[in-house]
Amino acid sequence: MNPQNEELWNKALAEIELSVSRANFATWFKNTNIVNNSEGVVTIGVPNGFVKEWLENKYHKFVLKSIRSLLPEVRVVEYSIVSSIAEPKTLKIKLPREMSVPSEEQLDFKEFQIDPETNLNPKYTLESFIVGSFNELAHAAITSVVKNLGKAYNPLFIYGGVGLGKTHLLQAAGNKVKEMNPLKKIHYTTSEKFSNELVSSLQNNSVYNFKEKYRKYDLLIVDDIQFFSGKIKTQEEFFHTFNTLYESGKQVIFSSDRPPASIHDIEERLRSRFEAGVIVDISEPELEARIAILKSKAAEKKISLPDETIEIIASVIQKNIRELEGALNIIHIQSNHKNIVLKPDEVREILNKNVRPKNVVTPSQIIKVVAEFYDIPEKSIFEHTRKTEIVKPRQIVMYLMREDLGRSYPFIAQKFGGMDHTTAIHAFDKISKELKKNNKLEEEIKSIREKYQNLAEQGVK
Ligand code: ADP
Ligand code: MG
């Protein structure tokens, strides 16, 4: 393999290895290499037809994703049997022909190294979690909870925007407790998983088992609880689960993308449980923290880049730690690819090309996010109705179009099917006034803004 291809494949494999069980990794990725990489097409050489079929049918998305994260210009990844990659005699895997792979669904690789009992992924640790002023409260609260399970802050509620480390911190808490006391029963789940499990237990007449299972934990972690919103049956069941755990002194940790007061369609009694302990938020990392995070990720991945380059990445990417990591990889592989130290302008250019332009929020993104946030169909925002559940989101959309996009009142009125522009003025004034006295609304609008900024950054139209 030529050295650049080798480097690329090793990096891609390192990513893949993190997310695939050791057995699967050894089985399917052993003796593979990149045999060709030109004009956006990467060809992976594989030792035999079985491996080719599995990679194509089960792992392809993942391979493509990890290669693209390193070399964004790659369009196609294909697999080709290369007889010279001899299969070592020790590899005793013989697959019967009928075990050919169903191709409907690509595997969810992250699942593989996760402990099925706890749902914890060992890659998330407190040691690898960088603390700055943006997250130090959340980190301190977690540390305290880990040391005094059920006694310090119970429940602990952590909220913050996408990619700011909530899952990392929650998972790290679970891993730490497990490390300190392997006998503790720990379980991590998401609100969606909890809900799905409940639904299938109802279908299989196994609700009793479901209840039993959730009531035995010493530490229950529920991530992204904003998705409980609107799920009445799930909320009811969760309420009882929570009470049982809480009353027997068991620890519960929650995360959400917004504070409890801003989660809509949630029963008051459940909301008051969320609010009963300690609520802390994670905000956006400041520049120093972004630099520290990049340096630590670089060290972890044995990447060496000049400080100046790191600083440029940290100053261009401000809101999302997941994106910081992505940018670091791109810059690294590009400088290796060209075999040079990139000049500051080149770093900026690559980031500008690969990291989406900021703040190109569009009216339709605002409408989409607001509709989702208040759980109403997008088209109902345009309905001429006085129903409060529609009027409020509609006024918020108008407010945001004016305030954040600087659109004129006539423009906004026209967007809403040619209504009178004074209606848009009225909506703007109403929300502006309301915002001054209503904290809940303020939080809601903050969450909405974060969401469409994320959409915009992800380039969703
Ligand atoms: P969230 O759940 O809030 O959307 P994640 O926990 O998934 O965010 O974090 C996104 C990525 O950023 C993960 O790869 C995570 O390991 C990393 N990350 C987030 N916060 C930190 C931190 N403080 N220190 C180190 N890595 C972090
Ligand atoms: Mg998360």
Side-chain angles (χ1 to χ4, degrees), residues 328-386:
L328 178 71
N329 281 334
I330 290 175
I331 295 298
H332 173 60
I333 195 78
Q334 295 269 348
S335 41
N336 266 25
H337 194 57
K338 304 200 173 105
N339 219 349
I340 46 164
V341 174
L342 295 169
K343 297 194 191 73
D345 280 349
E346 293 170 318
V347 173
R348 283 200 190 89
E349 195 190 318
I350 293 170
L351 291 177
N352 285 340
K353 248 198 337 224
N354 292 290
V355 181
R356 301 127 248 139
K358 276 191 202 55
N359 298 331
V360 281
V361 179
T362 62
S364 44
Q365 283 164 345
I366 293 190
I367 292 165
K368 182 175 158 62
V369 168
V370 171
E372 259 174 37
F373 192 88
Y374 293 104
D375 209 13
I376 55 173
E378 265 179 59
K379 62 175 187 306
S380 67
I381 293 225
F382 299 100
E383 270 167 30
H384 294 262
T385 163
R386 288 173 188 277

Side-chain angles (χ1 to χ4, degrees), residues 166-167 223-224 322:
K166 301 182 296 297
T167 298
D223 206 351
D224 287 325
R322 191 173 295 128

Side-chain angles (χ1 to χ4, degrees), residues 124 128-131 134-135 161-169 293 297 321-322 325:
Y124 293 115
S128 65
F129 190 80
I130 305 287
V131 184
F134 71 109
N135 63 6
V162 181
L164 294 181
K166 301 182 296 297
T167 298
H168 186 136
L169 198 52
I293 288 169
K297 300 278 171 190
I321 296 171
R322 191 173 295 128
E325 288 190 69

Side-chain angles (χ1 to χ4, degrees), residues 9 201 354 369 391 397 432:
W9 191 227
S201 79
N354 292 290
V369 168
V391 172
V397 169
S432 309

Side-chain angles (χ1 to χ4, degrees), residues 267-431:
E267 283 186 73
E268 268 322 302
R269 58 177 189 172
L270 191 53
R271 194 196 310 280
S272 75
R273 292 302 186 278
F274 292 154
E275 289 171 337
V278 163
I279 303 176
V280 284
D281 77 328
I282 299 185
S283 54
E284 286 163 8
E286 62 274 24
L287 180 66
E288 294 74 21
R290 300 199 295 275
I291 293 174
I293 288 169
L294 283 169
K295 287 192 169 160
S296 127
K297 300 278 171 190
E300 224 172 75
K301 296 176 185 177
K302 304 202 168 43
I303 292 175
S304 93
L305 286 175
D307 281 358
E308 192 179 6
T309 305
I310 298 256
E311 280 157 25
I312 295 172
I313 303 176
S315 64
V316 172
I317 296 167
Q318 304 181 346
K319 300 204 160 162
N320 184 318
I321 296 171
R322 191 173 295 128
E323 280 178 12
L324 275 179
E325 288 190 69
L328 178 71
N329 281 334
I330 290 175
I331 295 298
H332 173 60
I333 195 78
Q334 295 269 348
S335 41
N336 266 25
H337 194 57
K338 304 200 173 105
N339 219 349
I340 46 164
V341 174
L342 295 169
K343 297 194 191 73
D345 280 349
E346 293 170 318
V347 173
R348 283 200 190 89
E349 195 190 318
I350 293 170
L351 291 177
N352 285 340
K353 248 198 337 224
N354 292 290
V355 181
R356 301 127 248 139
K358 276 191 202 55
N359 298 331
V360 281
V361 179
T362 62
S364 44
Q365 283 164 345
I366 293 190
I367 292 165
K368 182 175 158 62
V369 168
V370 171
E372 259 174 37
F373 192 88
Y374 293 104
D375 209 13
I376 55 173
E378 265 179 59
K379 62 175 187 306
S380 67
I381 293 225
F382 299 100
E383 270 167 30
H384 294 262
T385 163
R386 288 173 188 277
K387 284 190 221 150
T388 6
E389 67 268 26
I390 308 287
V391 172
K392 179 181 162 191
R394 187 170 63 213
Q395 291 181 331
I396 290 179
V397 169
M398 293 190 214
Y399 169 83
L400 289 170
M401 281 188 186
R402 174 78 193 162
E403 181 74 15
D404 290 12
L405 306 191
R407 298 305 166 103
S408 68
Y409 292 123
F411 171 92
I412 298 169
Q414 206 213 330
K415 217 44 215 159
F416 281 82
M419 59 164 62
D420 195 281
H421 79 278
T422 52
T423 315
I425 296 178
H426 170 73
F428 182 81
D429 289 347
K430 173 106 194 293
I431 299 294

